[in-house]
Amino acid sequence: MSRQRRSSRRQTITTTHPEHQWVATEITIKLVINGILSAVALFSLFKLIPYQWSQQAQLKEIRVEIEETEKRVSQLRNDFRHNFDPYKIDKVMEEQSPRLQPTQRRIFWLN
């Protein structure tokens, strides 16, 4: 009897039920699809990394240009304030014109 039990157990172990085959097939299909999706995601990431690096390099260049432009704008604002300050009109006229005020005389140095 023990041989009959063993043989019957072997038959039940080796024979699979159709439900188990469908579950195994479903799991295999899910694993394959998830593997393909993971591969596509990794490929996309590897493709996007160089693009991100180039964008960061461009961003750094733009920030440097912005700093330079802000310095230039600051200098131009200071010049504008200096040139259009009503209290410094005489000084600005002296700087930008060869003319002198009527009360001033030119001095020529001779060696």
Side-chain angles (χ1 to χ4, degrees):
M1 279 202 170
S2 64
R3 283 189 175 177
Q4 288 177 352
R5 285 184 187 170
R6 286 183 189 169
S7 65
S8 67
R9 283 185 187 172
R10 285 183 187 163
Q11 287 176 356
T12 57
I13 292 173
T14 56
T15 60
T16 56
H17 296 289
E19 296 173 6
H20 295 295
Q21 285 179 342
W22 284 111
V23 170
T25 306
E26 181 183 355
I27 290 172
T28 305
I29 290 172
K30 285 181 181 180
L31 286 173
V32 169
I33 290 174
N34 285 331
I36 291 171
L37 290 176
S38 297
V40 168
L42 286 173
F43 178 73
S44 298
L45 282 175
F46 285 125
K47 223 174 174 185
L48 286 175
I49 288 173
Y51 178 74
Q52 182 198 16
W53 288 341
S54 68
Q55 291 297 312
Q56 286 180 351
Q58 287 179 355
L59 184 61
K60 286 180 184 177
E61 290 176 14
I62 289 172
R63 285 182 178 159
V64 168
E65 289 179 12
I66 287 173
E67 288 177 6
E68 292 173 358
T69 304
E70 285 176 349
K71 288 178 186 176
R72 185 169 170 243
V73 166
S74 174
Q75 181 64 35
L76 289 173
R77 280 186 181 150
N78 289 337
D79 290 346
F80 182 80
R81 286 185 193 128
H82 174 74
N83 289 337
F84 287 96
D85 186 5
Y87 299 108
K88 295 182 181 178
I89 280 186
D90 291 335
K91 182 141 179 118
V92 171
M93 284 176 26
E94 283 180 29
E95 290 173 1
Q96 295 181 357
S97 170
R99 295 183 150 193
L100 298 175
Q101 290 184 359
T103 58
Q104 288 183 336
R105 293 186 180 202
R106 285 187 184 242
I107 298 177
F108 296 101
W109 295 95
L110 300 173
N111 289 334

mmCIF file of all heavy atoms in Angstrom, residues 39-83:
data_model
loop_
_atom_site.group_PDB
_atom_site.id
_atom_site.type_symbol
_atom_site.label_atom_id
_atom_site.label_comp_id
_atom_site.label_asym_id
_atom_site.label_seq_id
_atom_site.Cartn_x
_atom_site.Cartn_y
_atom_site.Cartn_z
ATOM 1 N N ALA A 39 13.098 48.099 -18.655
ATOM 2 C CA ALA A 39 14.176 48.331 -19.625
ATOM 3 C C ALA A 39 13.949 49.630 -20.384
ATOM 4 O O ALA A 39 14.888 50.413 -20.596
ATOM 5 C CB ALA A 39 14.274 47.150 -20.586
ATOM 6 N N VAL A 40 12.702 49.887 -20.797
ATOM 7 C CA VAL A 40 12.383 51.139 -21.502
ATOM 8 C C VAL A 40 12.620 52.338 -20.593
ATOM 9 O O VAL A 40 13.178 53.361 -21.017
ATOM 10 C CB VAL A 40 10.922 51.109 -22.023
ATOM 11 C CG1 VAL A 40 10.480 52.481 -22.497
ATOM 12 C CG2 VAL A 40 10.779 50.080 -23.124
ATOM 13 N N ALA A 41 12.238 52.221 -19.329
ATOM 14 C CA ALA A 41 12.443 53.321 -18.385
ATOM 15 C C ALA A 41 13.934 53.588 -18.183
ATOM 16 O O ALA A 41 14.368 54.751 -18.181
ATOM 17 C CB ALA A 41 11.776 53.001 -17.052
ATOM 18 N N LEU A 42 14.722 52.552 -18.023
ATOM 19 C CA LEU A 42 16.170 52.742 -17.858
ATOM 20 C C LEU A 42 16.800 53.336 -19.109
ATOM 21 O O LEU A 42 17.650 54.228 -19.027
ATOM 22 C CB LEU A 42 16.843 51.410 -17.511
ATOM 23 C CG LEU A 42 16.624 50.899 -16.097
ATOM 24 C CD1 LEU A 42 17.201 49.508 -15.937
ATOM 25 C CD2 LEU A 42 17.253 51.851 -15.096
ATOM 26 N N PHE A 43 16.386 52.873 -20.276
ATOM 27 C CA PHE A 43 16.902 53.424 -21.524
ATOM 28 C C PHE A 43 16.565 54.909 -21.632
ATOM 29 O O PHE A 43 17.411 55.720 -22.020
ATOM 30 C CB PHE A 43 16.313 52.653 -22.713
ATOM 31 C CG PHE A 43 16.747 53.175 -24.044
ATOM 32 C CD1 PHE A 43 18.030 52.959 -24.502
ATOM 33 C CD2 PHE A 43 15.867 53.888 -24.838
ATOM 34 C CE1 PHE A 43 18.441 53.442 -25.727
ATOM 35 C CE2 PHE A 43 16.257 54.383 -26.058
ATOM 36 C CZ PHE A 43 17.548 54.155 -26.509
ATOM 37 N N SER A 44 15.347 55.267 -21.274
ATOM 38 C CA SER A 44 14.935 56.674 -21.322
ATOM 39 C C SER A 44 15.748 57.515 -20.345
ATOM 40 O O SER A 44 16.159 58.638 -20.671
ATOM 41 C CB SER A 44 13.453 56.805 -20.990
ATOM 42 O OG SER A 44 12.681 56.114 -21.925
ATOM 43 N N LEU A 45 15.985 56.995 -19.154
ATOM 44 C CA LEU A 45 16.789 57.733 -18.175
ATOM 45 C C LEU A 45 18.207 57.950 -18.681
ATOM 46 O O LEU A 45 18.763 59.040 -18.559
ATOM 47 C CB LEU A 45 16.817 56.993 -16.839
ATOM 48 C CG LEU A 45 15.577 57.139 -15.973
ATOM 49 C CD1 LEU A 45 15.692 56.257 -14.740
ATOM 50 C CD2 LEU A 45 15.381 58.589 -15.568
ATOM 51 N N PHE A 46 18.799 56.908 -19.247
ATOM 52 C CA PHE A 46 20.159 57.052 -19.761
ATOM 53 C C PHE A 46 20.217 58.031 -20.928
ATOM 54 O O PHE A 46 21.231 58.679 -21.152
ATOM 55 C CB PHE A 46 20.741 55.700 -20.179
ATOM 56 C CG PHE A 46 21.153 54.852 -19.013
ATOM 57 C CD1 PHE A 46 20.660 53.568 -18.879
ATOM 58 C CD2 PHE A 46 22.021 55.326 -18.043
ATOM 59 C CE1 PHE A 46 21.025 52.775 -17.814
ATOM 60 C CE2 PHE A 46 22.396 54.554 -16.973
ATOM 61 C CZ PHE A 46 21.902 53.270 -16.856
ATOM 62 N N LYS A 47 19.135 58.136 -21.666
ATOM 63 C CA LYS A 47 19.087 59.093 -22.758
ATOM 64 C C LYS A 47 18.903 60.527 -22.242
ATOM 65 O O LYS A 47 19.381 61.478 -22.845
ATOM 66 C CB LYS A 47 17.942 58.727 -23.695
ATOM 67 C CG LYS A 47 18.290 58.820 -25.127
ATOM 68 C CD LYS A 47 17.169 58.310 -25.984
ATOM 69 C CE LYS A 47 17.510 58.573 -27.421
ATOM 70 N NZ LYS A 47 16.458 58.226 -28.326
ATOM 71 N N LEU A 48 18.191 60.674 -21.119
ATOM 72 C CA LEU A 48 17.908 62.007 -20.590
ATOM 73 C C LEU A 48 19.058 62.588 -19.780
ATOM 74 O O LEU A 48 19.147 63.803 -19.618
ATOM 75 C CB LEU A 48 16.648 61.964 -19.720
ATOM 76 C CG LEU A 48 15.334 61.842 -20.469
ATOM 77 C CD1 LEU A 48 14.188 61.681 -19.489
ATOM 78 C CD2 LEU A 48 15.106 63.032 -21.358
ATOM 79 N N ILE A 49 19.936 61.774 -19.254
ATOM 80 C CA ILE A 49 21.026 62.280 -18.410
ATOM 81 C C ILE A 49 21.934 63.254 -19.174
ATOM 82 O O ILE A 49 22.213 64.346 -18.671
ATOM 83 C CB ILE A 49 21.804 61.104 -17.778
ATOM 84 C CG1 ILE A 49 20.948 60.461 -16.691
ATOM 85 C CG2 ILE A 49 23.130 61.573 -17.196
ATOM 86 C CD1 ILE A 49 21.534 59.194 -16.108
ATOM 87 N N PRO A 50 22.414 62.938 -20.383
ATOM 88 C CA PRO A 50 23.235 63.928 -21.104
ATOM 89 C C PRO A 50 22.470 65.215 -21.405
ATOM 90 O O PRO A 50 23.038 66.307 -21.371
ATOM 91 C CB PRO A 50 23.625 63.210 -22.399
ATOM 92 C CG PRO A 50 23.450 61.777 -22.122
ATOM 93 C CD PRO A 50 22.370 61.669 -21.101
ATOM 94 N N TYR A 51 21.186 65.088 -21.686
ATOM 95 C CA TYR A 51 20.373 66.275 -21.946
ATOM 96 C C TYR A 51 20.315 67.158 -20.701
ATOM 97 O O TYR A 51 20.430 68.376 -20.793
ATOM 98 C CB TYR A 51 18.968 65.851 -22.385
ATOM 99 C CG TYR A 51 18.033 67.001 -22.622
ATOM 100 C CD1 TYR A 51 18.164 67.799 -23.746
ATOM 101 C CD2 TYR A 51 17.025 67.302 -21.719
ATOM 102 C CE1 TYR A 51 17.308 68.856 -23.965
ATOM 103 C CE2 TYR A 51 16.158 68.357 -21.933
ATOM 104 C CZ TYR A 51 16.311 69.122 -23.059
ATOM 105 O OH TYR A 51 15.474 70.179 -23.268
ATOM 106 N N GLN A 52 20.155 66.542 -19.534
ATOM 107 C CA GLN A 52 20.107 67.309 -18.296
ATOM 108 C C GLN A 52 21.448 68.002 -18.055
ATOM 109 O O GLN A 52 21.491 69.157 -17.637
ATOM 110 C CB GLN A 52 19.769 66.410 -17.114
ATOM 111 C CG GLN A 52 19.653 67.186 -15.819
ATOM 112 C CD GLN A 52 19.758 66.325 -14.581
ATOM 113 O OE1 GLN A 52 20.203 65.193 -14.651
ATOM 114 N NE2 GLN A 52 19.373 66.879 -13.467
ATOM 115 N N TRP A 53 22.554 67.298 -18.319
ATOM 116 C CA TRP A 53 23.871 67.906 -18.128
ATOM 117 C C TRP A 53 24.049 69.117 -19.044
ATOM 118 O O TRP A 53 24.567 70.155 -18.625
ATOM 119 C CB TRP A 53 24.969 66.894 -18.390
ATOM 120 C CG TRP A 53 25.106 65.843 -17.325
ATOM 121 C CD1 TRP A 53 24.632 65.896 -16.048
ATOM 122 C CD2 TRP A 53 25.753 64.582 -17.457
ATOM 123 N NE1 TRP A 53 24.948 64.740 -15.374
ATOM 124 C CE2 TRP A 53 25.634 63.914 -16.210
ATOM 125 C CE3 TRP A 53 26.406 63.939 -18.497
ATOM 126 C CZ2 TRP A 53 26.162 62.657 -16.000
ATOM 127 C CZ3 TRP A 53 26.931 62.679 -18.268
ATOM 128 C CH2 TRP A 53 26.814 62.052 -17.039
ATOM 129 N N SER A 54 23.607 69.002 -20.297
ATOM 130 C CA SER A 54 23.746 70.139 -21.210
ATOM 131 C C SER A 54 22.866 71.300 -20.761
ATOM 132 O O SER A 54 23.262 72.464 -20.846
ATOM 133 C CB SER A 54 23.405 69.726 -22.641
ATOM 134 O OG SER A 54 22.030 69.425 -22.749
ATOM 135 N N GLN A 55 21.672 70.998 -20.249
ATOM 136 C CA GLN A 55 20.795 72.058 -19.759
ATOM 137 C C GLN A 55 21.399 72.762 -18.550
ATOM 138 O O GLN A 55 21.299 73.985 -18.415
ATOM 139 C CB GLN A 55 19.418 71.486 -19.404
ATOM 140 C CG GLN A 55 18.621 71.019 -20.601
ATOM 141 C CD GLN A 55 18.291 72.150 -21.546
ATOM 142 O OE1 GLN A 55 17.821 73.202 -21.128
ATOM 143 N NE2 GLN A 55 18.559 71.948 -22.822
ATOM 144 N N GLN A 56 22.037 72.003 -17.657
ATOM 145 C CA GLN A 56 22.677 72.608 -16.494
ATOM 146 C C GLN A 56 23.847 73.486 -16.920
ATOM 147 O O GLN A 56 24.068 74.563 -16.351
ATOM 148 C CB GLN A 56 23.149 71.529 -15.515
ATOM 149 C CG GLN A 56 22.021 70.885 -14.752
ATOM 150 C CD GLN A 56 22.494 69.810 -13.793
ATOM 151 O OE1 GLN A 56 23.656 69.421 -13.805
ATOM 152 N NE2 GLN A 56 21.595 69.324 -12.961
ATOM 153 N N ALA A 57 24.606 73.049 -17.930
ATOM 154 C CA ALA A 57 25.717 73.867 -18.431
ATOM 155 C C ALA A 57 25.185 75.171 -19.027
ATOM 156 O O ALA A 57 25.743 76.250 -18.784
ATOM 157 C CB ALA A 57 26.510 73.085 -19.470
ATOM 158 N N GLN A 58 24.110 75.091 -19.786
ATOM 159 C CA GLN A 58 23.512 76.304 -20.353
ATOM 160 C C GLN A 58 22.986 77.216 -19.252
ATOM 161 O O GLN A 58 23.117 78.448 -19.338
ATOM 162 C CB GLN A 58 22.380 75.937 -21.300
ATOM 163 C CG GLN A 58 22.845 75.352 -22.612
ATOM 164 C CD GLN A 58 21.689 74.978 -23.515
ATOM 165 O OE1 GLN A 58 20.523 75.058 -23.137
ATOM 166 N NE2 GLN A 58 22.005 74.554 -24.738
ATOM 167 N N LEU A 59 22.413 76.636 -18.219
ATOM 168 C CA LEU A 59 21.905 77.428 -17.101
ATOM 169 C C LEU A 59 23.039 78.170 -16.397
ATOM 170 O O LEU A 59 22.899 79.341 -16.037
ATOM 171 C CB LEU A 59 21.163 76.528 -16.119
ATOM 172 C CG LEU A 59 20.487 77.203 -14.935
ATOM 173 C CD1 LEU A 59 19.424 78.179 -15.410
ATOM 174 C CD2 LEU A 59 19.883 76.159 -14.017
ATOM 175 N N LYS A 60 24.181 77.503 -16.218
ATOM 176 C CA LYS A 60 25.334 78.170 -15.607
ATOM 177 C C LYS A 60 25.812 79.332 -16.462
ATOM 178 O O LYS A 60 26.119 80.409 -15.950
ATOM 179 C CB LYS A 60 26.475 77.172 -15.407
ATOM 180 C CG LYS A 60 26.245 76.215 -14.274
ATOM 181 C CD LYS A 60 27.411 75.256 -14.127
ATOM 182 C CE LYS A 60 27.128 74.229 -13.042
ATOM 183 N NZ LYS A 60 28.209 73.241 -12.917
ATOM 184 N N GLU A 61 25.868 79.121 -17.787
ATOM 185 C CA GLU A 61 26.277 80.197 -18.690
ATOM 186 C C GLU A 61 25.315 81.381 -18.592
ATOM 187 O O GLU A 61 25.738 82.539 -18.557
ATOM 188 C CB GLU A 61 26.318 79.687 -20.130
ATOM 189 C CG GLU A 61 27.433 78.723 -20.415
ATOM 190 C CD GLU A 61 27.382 78.176 -21.826
ATOM 191 O OE1 GLU A 61 26.631 78.746 -22.664
ATOM 192 O OE2 GLU A 61 28.091 77.199 -22.099
ATOM 193 N N ILE A 62 24.042 81.091 -18.542
ATOM 194 C CA ILE A 62 23.042 82.163 -18.463
ATOM 195 C C ILE A 62 23.177 82.912 -17.143
ATOM 196 O O ILE A 62 23.073 84.142 -17.115
ATOM 197 C CB ILE A 62 21.628 81.584 -18.644
ATOM 198 C CG1 ILE A 62 21.441 81.146 -20.096
ATOM 199 C CG2 ILE A 62 20.564 82.588 -18.243
ATOM 200 C CD1 ILE A 62 20.159 80.393 -20.360
ATOM 201 N N ARG A 63 23.432 82.186 -16.050
ATOM 202 C CA ARG A 63 23.607 82.865 -14.761
ATOM 203 C C ARG A 63 24.819 83.779 -14.776
ATOM 204 O O ARG A 63 24.782 84.885 -14.222
ATOM 205 C CB ARG A 63 23.718 81.829 -13.646
ATOM 206 C CG ARG A 63 22.396 81.196 -13.307
ATOM 207 C CD ARG A 63 22.507 80.209 -12.176
ATOM 208 N NE ARG A 63 21.191 79.657 -11.866
ATOM 209 C CZ ARG A 63 20.995 78.534 -11.232
ATOM 210 N NH1 ARG A 63 22.023 77.823 -10.804
ATOM 211 N NH2 ARG A 63 19.766 78.103 -11.005
ATOM 212 N N VAL A 64 25.918 83.334 -15.403
ATOM 213 C CA VAL A 64 27.110 84.178 -15.504
ATOM 214 C C VAL A 64 26.791 85.426 -16.320
ATOM 215 O O VAL A 64 27.170 86.544 -15.950
ATOM 216 C CB VAL A 64 28.279 83.380 -16.122
ATOM 217 C CG1 VAL A 64 29.422 84.293 -16.511
ATOM 218 C CG2 VAL A 64 28.751 82.306 -15.148
ATOM 219 N N GLU A 65 26.084 85.249 -17.429
ATOM 220 C CA GLU A 65 25.699 86.395 -18.262
ATOM 221 C C GLU A 65 24.792 87.347 -17.490
ATOM 222 O O GLU A 65 24.907 88.575 -17.629
ATOM 223 C CB GLU A 65 25.017 85.920 -19.530
ATOM 224 C CG GLU A 65 25.955 85.249 -20.513
ATOM 225 C CD GLU A 65 25.245 84.755 -21.756
ATOM 226 O OE1 GLU A 65 24.064 85.126 -21.965
ATOM 227 O OE2 GLU A 65 25.860 83.998 -22.506
ATOM 228 N N ILE A 66 23.894 86.813 -16.688
ATOM 229 C CA ILE A 66 22.997 87.658 -15.893
ATOM 230 C C ILE A 66 23.801 88.484 -14.902
ATOM 231 O O ILE A 66 23.556 89.683 -14.733
ATOM 232 C CB ILE A 66 21.933 86.804 -15.174
ATOM 233 C CG1 ILE A 66 20.900 86.299 -16.177
ATOM 234 C CG2 ILE A 66 21.244 87.587 -14.072
ATOM 235 C CD1 ILE A 66 19.909 85.321 -15.595
ATOM 236 N N GLU A 67 24.779 87.864 -14.244
ATOM 237 C CA GLU A 67 25.611 88.607 -13.286
ATOM 238 C C GLU A 67 26.363 89.734 -13.984
ATOM 239 O O GLU A 67 26.421 90.859 -13.480
ATOM 240 C CB GLU A 67 26.590 87.657 -12.599
ATOM 241 C CG GLU A 67 25.951 86.726 -11.600
ATOM 242 C CD GLU A 67 26.950 85.757 -10.996
ATOM 243 O OE1 GLU A 67 28.166 85.890 -11.277
ATOM 244 O OE2 GLU A 67 26.516 84.868 -10.244
ATOM 245 N N GLU A 68 26.939 89.421 -15.162
ATOM 246 C CA GLU A 68 27.664 90.455 -15.908
ATOM 247 C C GLU A 68 26.726 91.583 -16.329
ATOM 248 O O GLU A 68 27.080 92.767 -16.240
ATOM 249 C CB GLU A 68 28.339 89.839 -17.129
ATOM 250 C CG GLU A 68 29.471 88.902 -16.790
ATOM 251 C CD GLU A 68 30.008 88.167 -18.007
ATOM 252 O OE1 GLU A 68 29.470 88.371 -19.119
ATOM 253 O OE2 GLU A 68 30.967 87.402 -17.840
ATOM 254 N N THR A 69 25.539 91.230 -16.782
ATOM 255 C CA THR A 69 24.579 92.238 -17.217
ATOM 256 C C THR A 69 24.111 93.092 -16.037
ATOM 257 O O THR A 69 23.954 94.314 -16.180
ATOM 258 C CB THR A 69 23.376 91.558 -17.896
ATOM 259 O OG1 THR A 69 23.842 90.738 -18.962
ATOM 260 C CG2 THR A 69 22.407 92.583 -18.431
ATOM 261 N N GLU A 70 23.903 92.457 -14.880
ATOM 262 C CA GLU A 70 23.497 93.233 -13.699
ATOM 263 C C GLU A 70 24.591 94.217 -13.282
ATOM 264 O O GLU A 70 24.283 95.353 -12.908
ATOM 265 C CB GLU A 70 23.159 92.289 -12.550
ATOM 266 C CG GLU A 70 21.827 91.594 -12.722
ATOM 267 C CD GLU A 70 21.534 90.591 -11.617
ATOM 268 O OE1 GLU A 70 22.450 90.275 -10.823
ATOM 269 O OE2 GLU A 70 20.388 90.123 -11.541
ATOM 270 N N LYS A 71 25.854 93.814 -13.368
ATOM 271 C CA LYS A 71 26.950 94.737 -13.058
ATOM 272 C C LYS A 71 26.955 95.909 -14.034
ATOM 273 O O LYS A 71 27.133 97.062 -13.638
ATOM 274 C CB LYS A 71 28.290 94.005 -13.120
ATOM 275 C CG LYS A 71 28.510 93.047 -11.977
ATOM 276 C CD LYS A 71 29.842 92.332 -12.130
ATOM 277 C CE LYS A 71 30.012 91.266 -11.059
ATOM 278 N NZ LYS A 71 31.261 90.492 -11.243
ATOM 279 N N ARG A 72 26.752 95.585 -15.321
ATOM 280 C CA ARG A 72 26.757 96.639 -16.337
ATOM 281 C C ARG A 72 25.586 97.598 -16.128
ATOM 282 O O ARG A 72 25.739 98.820 -16.231
ATOM 283 C CB ARG A 72 26.676 95.995 -17.715
ATOM 284 C CG ARG A 72 26.802 96.962 -18.835
ATOM 285 C CD ARG A 72 26.991 96.245 -20.169
ATOM 286 N NE ARG A 72 26.875 97.205 -21.230
ATOM 287 C CZ ARG A 72 25.935 97.179 -22.156
ATOM 288 N NH1 ARG A 72 25.046 96.218 -22.156
ATOM 289 N NH2 ARG A 72 25.894 98.091 -23.089
ATOM 290 N N VAL A 73 24.422 97.063 -15.826
ATOM 291 C CA VAL A 73 23.242 97.901 -15.584
ATOM 292 C C VAL A 73 23.467 98.784 -14.362
ATOM 293 O O VAL A 73 23.110 99.969 -14.357
ATOM 294 C CB VAL A 73 21.981 97.025 -15.416
ATOM 295 C CG1 VAL A 73 20.833 97.820 -14.832
ATOM 296 C CG2 VAL A 73 21.576 96.415 -16.748
ATOM 297 N N SER A 74 24.076 98.218 -13.330
ATOM 298 C CA SER A 74 24.364 99.001 -12.133
ATOM 299 C C SER A 74 25.303 100.168 -12.457
ATOM 300 O O SER A 74 25.077 101.300 -12.007
ATOM 301 C CB SER A 74 24.981 98.096 -11.070
ATOM 302 O OG SER A 74 25.399 98.836 -9.965
ATOM 303 N N GLN A 75 26.334 99.891 -13.252
ATOM 304 C CA GLN A 75 27.270 100.952 -13.645
ATOM 305 C C GLN A 75 26.559 102.015 -14.488
ATOM 306 O O GLN A 75 26.763 103.220 -14.281
ATOM 307 C CB GLN A 75 28.444 100.350 -14.429
ATOM 308 C CG GLN A 75 29.473 101.358 -14.843
ATOM 309 C CD GLN A 75 30.169 101.994 -13.656
ATOM 310 O OE1 GLN A 75 30.399 101.342 -12.655
ATOM 311 N NE2 GLN A 75 30.491 103.260 -13.767
ATOM 312 N N LEU A 76 25.717 101.591 -15.399
ATOM 313 C CA LEU A 76 24.988 102.551 -16.234
ATOM 314 C C LEU A 76 24.012 103.388 -15.398
ATOM 315 O O LEU A 76 23.855 104.588 -15.656
ATOM 316 C CB LEU A 76 24.237 101.822 -17.343
ATOM 317 C CG LEU A 76 25.106 101.217 -18.452
ATOM 318 C CD1 LEU A 76 24.255 100.378 -19.390
ATOM 319 C CD2 LEU A 76 25.829 102.310 -19.211
ATOM 320 N N ARG A 77 23.391 102.779 -14.412
ATOM 321 C CA ARG A 77 22.504 103.554 -13.528
ATOM 322 C C ARG A 77 23.284 104.606 -12.751
ATOM 323 O O ARG A 77 22.820 105.744 -12.591
ATOM 324 C CB ARG A 77 21.793 102.622 -12.551
ATOM 325 C CG ARG A 77 20.617 101.925 -13.146
ATOM 326 C CD ARG A 77 19.870 101.135 -12.112
ATOM 327 N NE ARG A 77 18.751 100.443 -12.746
ATOM 328 C CZ ARG A 77 18.268 99.306 -12.340
ATOM 329 N NH1 ARG A 77 18.766 98.703 -11.285
ATOM 330 N NH2 ARG A 77 17.259 98.754 -12.971
ATOM 331 N N ASN A 78 24.447 104.209 -12.260
ATOM 332 C CA ASN A 78 25.275 105.180 -11.534
ATOM 333 C C ASN A 78 25.691 106.325 -12.443
ATOM 334 O O ASN A 78 25.663 107.499 -12.038
ATOM 335 C CB ASN A 78 26.505 104.500 -10.938
ATOM 336 C CG ASN A 78 26.155 103.598 -9.775
ATOM 337 O OD1 ASN A 78 25.120 103.775 -9.133
ATOM 338 N ND2 ASN A 78 27.003 102.618 -9.512
ATOM 339 N N ASP A 79 26.087 106.005 -13.679
ATOM 340 C CA ASP A 79 26.452 107.055 -14.638
ATOM 341 C C ASP A 79 25.253 107.947 -14.938
ATOM 342 O O ASP A 79 25.386 109.182 -15.029
ATOM 343 C CB ASP A 79 26.974 106.434 -15.938
ATOM 344 C CG ASP A 79 28.328 105.788 -15.763
ATOM 345 O OD1 ASP A 79 28.983 106.041 -14.724
ATOM 346 O OD2 ASP A 79 28.725 105.007 -16.658
ATOM 347 N N PHE A 80 24.092 107.351 -15.087
ATOM 348 C CA PHE A 80 22.884 108.124 -15.366
ATOM 349 C C PHE A 80 22.585 109.080 -14.213
ATOM 350 O O PHE A 80 22.288 110.262 -14.426
ATOM 351 C CB PHE A 80 21.701 107.172 -15.605
ATOM 352 C CG PHE A 80 20.431 107.871 -15.945
ATOM 353 C CD1 PHE A 80 20.196 108.336 -17.224
ATOM 354 C CD2 PHE A 80 19.455 108.068 -14.974
ATOM 355 C CE1 PHE A 80 19.015 108.974 -17.532
ATOM 356 C CE2 PHE A 80 18.273 108.706 -15.277
ATOM 357 C CZ PHE A 80 18.057 109.168 -16.562
ATOM 358 N N ARG A 81 22.645 108.555 -12.999
ATOM 359 C CA ARG A 81 22.395 109.422 -11.838
ATOM 360 C C ARG A 81 23.410 110.559 -11.767
ATOM 361 O O ARG A 81 23.070 111.694 -11.432
ATOM 362 C CB ARG A 81 22.461 108.600 -10.553
ATOM 363 C CG ARG A 81 21.266 107.718 -10.347
ATOM 364 C CD ARG A 81 21.335 107.021 -9.001
ATOM 365 N NE ARG A 81 20.350 105.947 -8.955
ATOM 366 C CZ ARG A 81 20.609 104.697 -8.622
ATOM 367 N NH1 ARG A 81 21.825 104.352 -8.257
ATOM 368 N NH2 ARG A 81 19.666 103.799 -8.632
ATOM 369 N N HIS A 82 24.654 110.217 -12.057
ATOM 370 C CA HIS A 82 25.704 111.235 -12.008
ATOM 371 C C HIS A 82 25.465 112.308 -13.080
ATOM 372 O O HIS A 82 25.579 113.508 -12.808
ATOM 373 C CB HIS A 82 27.075 110.578 -12.208
ATOM 374 C CG HIS A 82 28.191 111.548 -12.321
ATOM 375 N ND1 HIS A 82 28.680 112.237 -11.233
ATOM 376 C CD2 HIS A 82 28.914 111.963 -13.387
ATOM 377 C CE1 HIS A 82 29.659 113.024 -11.630
ATOM 378 N NE2 HIS A 82 29.828 112.872 -12.930
ATOM 379 N N ASN A 83 25.136 111.884 -14.291
ATOM 380 C CA ASN A 83 24.989 112.833 -15.396
ATOM 381 C C ASN A 83 23.729 113.686 -15.291
ATOM 382 O O ASN A 83 23.705 114.808 -15.800
ATOM 383 C CB ASN A 83 24.987 112.093 -16.729
ATOM 384 C CG ASN A 83 26.346 111.545 -17.063
ATOM 385 O OD1 ASN A 83 27.366 112.022 -16.569
ATOM 386 N ND2 ASN A 83 26.365 110.526 -17.896
#
